[in-house]
Amino acid sequence: MAIISDYQEETQTSSSSQPKPSKPIPFSSTFDPSNPTAFLENVFDFIAKESTDFFDNDSAEKVVLSAVRAVKVKKAKAVAAEKAKIAAEEKAKVDKAASVAAAEKKAKEVDEKEDDKKDGESGLAAPNQGNGMDLEKYSWTQTLQELNVNVPVPNGTKSRFVTCEIKKNHLKVGIKGQPPIIDGELYKSIKPDDCYWSIEDQNTLSILLTKHDQMDWWKCLVKGDPEINTQKVEPESSKLGDLDPETRQTVEKMMFDQRQKSMGLPTSEELQKQEIMKKFMSQHPEMDFSNAKLS
């Protein structure tokens, strides 16, 4: 009996000496981002109240400082990681933009080479900045309404020394007593009464020719001269504002059709026909359009 009693007493003593498990204590406080110190004071006050021996320990201050340093290190790593991420994204954007620019430049160079090749094969030259051509003895430019012809003449040339015959379908220009500089049938007819010529700077004969058909681009001044590729004509946008609405609409349509043809795409009329055909097909699903062409 004594042995059993002793064992029970030892067991009871051992059990009573073990610390009772602690229960979590709720903590509530409002955090003001503009005053974080107040929140920390509330935390420390709560710890001092609920844990009677934490601040009595000499290592308490070290524990708090260690926790602060750990948070600072963690935050620094997060900031560095975010900066690295942003830098990587910016670099990717720059690389992509550079790649796209390089691809566009290469495509443009290929298109220009292809256009030059087509021009060479067709025998047509690209127009000058005035949508005309610079030739050995004269140059000419044009708008939809008129042409300007510039013929270099000897310095000091007077009007009385010039021969300039402007007819509806023919132009003859030169210096008296010398072979004509220009003498040929015009590419298209003009309005002689609305044409004139003058000597500019005593060394250039300037001729203004008013087109009869003011909705067409000329390929050359006189027949037999080298021709330009009218699909590459680029009229000044500012000039379009001077046209009446109907003419401007026609010109813009011509410009659109020229761009479409140069890219191998359907013109405005062809697009309109395609839309009509598509609408008709959608209205008649019972019909077989497998062999129909939309072009």
Side-chain angles (χ1 to χ4, degrees), residues 72-108:
K72 290 177 66 177
V73 171
K74 184 177 180 181
K75 182 178 180 181
K77 289 183 178 179
V79 171
E82 183 65 20
K83 289 183 178 180
K85 180 182 177 182
I86 294 175
E89 291 176 350
E90 290 298 325
K91 184 177 183 300
K93 290 180 181 179
V94 172
D95 291 344
K96 183 178 180 181
S99 178
V100 171
E104 291 178 347
K105 181 180 180 182
K106 184 175 181 180
K108 184 178 180 181

Side-chain angles (χ1 to χ4, degrees), residues 24-63:
I25 303 173
F27 171 74
S28 177
S29 180
T30 301
F31 177 71
D32 182 4
S34 65
N35 187 18
T37 303
F39 178 80
L40 291 176
E41 290 176 350
N42 290 337
V43 172
F44 293 144
D45 288 344
F46 178 81
I47 295 175
K49 178 181 177 182
E50 301 296 338
S51 180
T52 57
D53 59 346
F54 179 77
F55 288 109
D56 295 336
N57 194 325
D58 293 338
S59 62
E61 185 176 351
K62 294 182 179 179
V63 171

Side-chain angles (χ1 to χ4, degrees), residues 277 281 287-295:
M277 187 64 180
M281 290 169 64
M287 299 180 65
D288 181 15
F289 297 97
S290 57
N291 295 324
K293 295 183 178 179
L294 298 180
S295 58

Side-chain angles (χ1 to χ4, degrees), residues 130-143:
N131 296 319
M133 179 176 280
D134 299 323
L135 299 172
E136 182 180 357
K137 294 184 178 181
Y138 71 93
S139 64
W140 63 277
T141 60
Q142 67 173 322
T143 65

Side-chain angles (χ1 to χ4, degrees), residues 164-188:
C164 186
E165 298 178 1
I166 303 175
K167 297 181 180 180
K168 181 179 180 180
N169 296 299
H170 193 276
L171 177 64
K172 182 178 181 181
V173 179
I175 302 297
K176 293 180 179 179
Q178 299 181 15
I181 300 172
I182 302 174
D183 187 8
E185 183 181 356
L186 294 170
Y187 179 72
K188 289 193 174 183

